[in-house]
Amino acid sequence: MKILFLSNYYPPYHLGGLEELCEEVANLLVMRDHSVSILTSNYGVHGITGKEKNVLRLLNLDMDIRPIWSSLKFFTGRHDRLVQDIQTLKSAIELIEPDLFVVWGAWNISRWVLAQAEQILPNRVIYYFADCWPTVPDANTQHWQGRGRKFITRLPYALLGRIALIGLKKEPRAPELKFEKTICVSQALKSTLIEYGLPIKNAEIIYNGIHVENFFQPVDRKKERNTQLPLSLLYAGRLAQEKGVHLAINAVNGLIRRGYLVHLEIIGQGLPDYVQYLENIVSSLQIDEYVIFSEYVPREKIPQVLASHDVLLVPSLCPDALPRIIQEGMAAGLVVIGAAIGGITEAIDDGVDGLYFCNNDVEDLINKIEQVYNSPDLYERISKAGVQKAAKNFDIRRTVDEMEIYLGNVASSIA
């Protein structure tokens, strides 16, 4: 099959796990003798050296996310850039002649471009959903409804925002997308999208996956709970209010007050206001020696980081689709404790290969961590079960197996 992927970002200038997954799936499909090309944005293109094979970095982002230009480029040449993007799409389709067009990630790509793809390739456009991008406002509206990152820029930003939002309301409404062929990474995400009115009742469920072998611990280093050391907790991901990182910090504080030896490492980046809020909590509770922030860890170092911790915390306040960090934590032998919400409940079998806590309930989170702390046998049992589940259910080769079958069936139906 000849497959053309559309991704808003693409490694090495990715912004998260969705883009990394796109690269991994594309590479595995190529290894299975499929022809795969990727049409993506020109974000970061000037930092690329050499010619990339089958990667077309040509599309404009709907809202330029570079801070210096984002507020100014909105007012100049937007229509011309959209026309250019539609022509770029047409040219890419003419050049590649794909059997299928897979929309991998489309937040910050104009919906006019997606509608054009549906028109040019009827019944051949497949949407891969790993988040709720169709349910949120477009990137321009989100940008101007926000506020400046720095205090000194907030007043001019707000004034420009009023003008921009008035202009957006006067623009023609983007066409409704058909979403004829869709894949969701979890049943929870599918249900959420249906609740928002998307016509995807026939969407295929294909769990995302990881290269599990990268996270397995050697036989002579299988994880065991060392009761002589503090219980080592980890949060790894985006630092945002909806991710509930503050719950993890407050849980650590509660455990310390009860006399437990615990340590929390927080890895990730996020909005400056929320990061400052987290740091203020740690400082005000005087638990600086028990909580550390690590802003950035290279992707290739994540297995080592996981191996040095005992418990992975996933305290999300809003439904996550199916966090890959859970799969990685399981494969590395950590006990995963996650909020009982969204796709987390599909990844974890409570009490078997992980633990739930009630959503947004610090006391329940503390109680679940206490269970792990006080029972090395429970730790070992859940750790082993998590490794086994990761190997069986979350290997990326299984993901690609199922995706290959689905894509093949779609291609056969229109042949």
Side-chain angles (χ1 to χ4, degrees):
M1 285 184 292
K2 288 192 291 186
I3 306 167
L4 176 58
F5 280 82
L6 183 145
S7 180
N8 45 357
Y9 309 103
Y10 191 73
Y13 288 92
H14 57 77
L15 294 183
L18 180 59
E19 292 76 40
E20 292 167 350
L21 183 60
C22 180
E23 180 182 46
E24 293 166 12
V25 168
N27 288 341
L28 286 172
L29 287 171
V30 169
M31 291 174 63
R32 300 183 184 198
D33 295 326
H34 298 289
S35 174
V36 178
S37 301
I38 297 96
L39 177 62
T40 188
S41 72
N42 54 22
Y43 175 74
V45 69
H46 300 297
I48 305 283
T49 57
K51 186 176 181 180
E52 296 177 291
K53 185 177 181 181
N54 298 330
V55 179
L56 308 175
R57 298 183 183 273
L58 301 172
L59 294 175
N60 295 289
L61 292 174
D62 205 18
M63 165 55 72
D64 193 325
I65 64 174
R66 290 168 289 187
I68 295 176
W69 300 106
S70 59
S71 297
L72 301 177
K73 289 181 68 176
F74 172 85
F75 297 99
T76 59
R78 287 184 61 237
H79 180 265
D80 292 341
R81 289 193 294 274
L82 176 57
V83 171
Q84 179 187 35
D85 283 344
I86 291 175
Q87 185 55 53
T88 295
L89 173 75
K90 292 179 178 178
S91 298
I93 291 173
E94 290 175 4
L95 174 66
I96 296 167
E97 297 182 336
D99 299 305
L100 300 172
F101 185 87
V102 179
V103 179
W104 191 269
W107 180 82
N108 214 354
I109 296 293
S110 172
R111 298 193 186 192
W112 291 93
V113 174
L114 304 180
Q116 190 68 38
E118 290 184 345
Q119 182 176 333
I120 298 172
L121 298 169
N123 298 312
R124 297 188 182 193
V125 177
I126 299 166
Y127 291 88
Y128 177 87
F129 291 128
D131 56 31
C132 294
W133 67 260
T135 70
V136 300
D138 64 88
N140 287 298
T141 300
Q142 287 187 63
H143 177 81
W144 292 114
Q145 285 179 341
R147 63 176 185 172
R149 287 176 174 261
K150 297 181 180 180
F151 180 80
I152 194 172
T153 65
R154 286 178 182 170
L155 178 57
Y157 186 94
L159 295 174
L160 288 172
R162 291 178 185 176
I163 299 171
L165 290 171
I166 291 172
L168 285 168
K169 288 181 179 179
K170 295 180 179 179
E171 292 183 356
R173 186 175 180 178
E176 294 290 333
L177 299 175
K178 297 178 181 179
F179 299 122
E180 292 173 317
K181 305 286 191 302
T182 53
I183 298 170
C184 292
V185 300
S186 66
Q187 181 60 51
L189 177 62
K190 178 178 177 178
S191 298
T192 297
L193 294 175
I194 290 174
E195 287 175 7
Y196 274 94
L198 267 68
I200 62 166
K201 65 179 182 179
N202 295 321
E204 189 81 1
I205 305 299
I206 300 179
Y207 287 163
N208 54 26
I210 60 172
H211 288 283
V212 291
E213 66 278 5
N214 293 342
F215 297 89
F216 290 154
Q217 298 301 303
V219 174
D220 61 347
R221 291 172 53 202
K222 291 296 182 183
K223 295 189 71 62
E224 293 182 1
R225 167 80 178 102
N226 187 338
T227 57
Q228 303 304 311
L229 298 175
L231 186 69
S232 181
L233 311 174
L234 173 68
Y235 171 86
R238 186 164 54 90
L239 304 186
Q241 180 76 25
E242 65 271 16
K243 294 298 182 180
V245 190
H246 53 283
L247 297 180
I249 295 173
N250 286 318
V252 167
N253 179 61
L255 289 161
I256 292 169
R257 303 307 171 209
R258 297 183 190 184
Y260 291 102
L261 297 174
V262 294
H263 177 274
L264 171 65
E265 182 175 8
I266 297 172
I267 297 176
Q269 298 172 305
L271 295 175
D273 286 353
Y274 185 66
V275 174
Q276 185 62 58
Y277 169 68
L278 297 177
E279 292 174 347
N280 290 343
I281 294 176
V282 172
S283 178
S284 64
L285 294 174
Q286 298 181 341
I287 54 174
D288 306 70
E289 63 180 298
Y290 304 101
V291 179
I292 65 169
F293 292 87
S294 301
E295 185 174 281
Y296 174 74
V297 174
R299 177 69 183 164
E300 62 273 13
K301 299 292 186 182
I302 293 296
Q304 296 173 244
V305 170
L306 289 168
S308 66
H309 292 79
D310 300 313
V311 174
L312 175 69
L313 301 181
V314 189
S316 300
L317 300 179
C318 298
D320 286 317
L322 191 65
R324 294 179 86 198
I325 189 63
I326 291 181
Q327 301 169 339
E328 294 166 351
M330 284 182 167
L334 280 71
V335 170
V336 180
I337 302 178
I341 187 172
I344 296 174
T345 61
E346 289 178 61
I348 296 173
D349 187 0
D350 188 32
V352 177
D353 46 46
L355 293 171
Y356 299 157
F357 73 94
C358 296
N359 185 38
N360 200 19
D361 188 334
V362 173
E363 284 302 314
D364 196 37
L365 176 55
I366 291 173
N367 292 337
K368 295 304 165 57
I369 298 173
E370 276 186 321
Q371 289 181 26
V372 175
Y373 191 105
N374 290 325
S375 177
D377 290 342
L378 176 68
Y379 178 93
E380 184 177 1
R381 176 171 59 80
I382 290 179
S383 172
K384 288 181 178 179
V387 173
Q388 292 170 359
K389 173 176 271 190
K392 180 180 178 181
N393 292 358
F394 300 139
D395 191 317
I396 194 171
R397 285 171 283 267
R398 177 208 51 79
T399 302
V400 176
D401 286 343
E402 296 181 14
M403 188 167 291
E404 188 177 30
I405 292 171
Y406 179 81
L407 297 179
N409 289 339
V410 173
S412 297
S413 69
I414 57 179

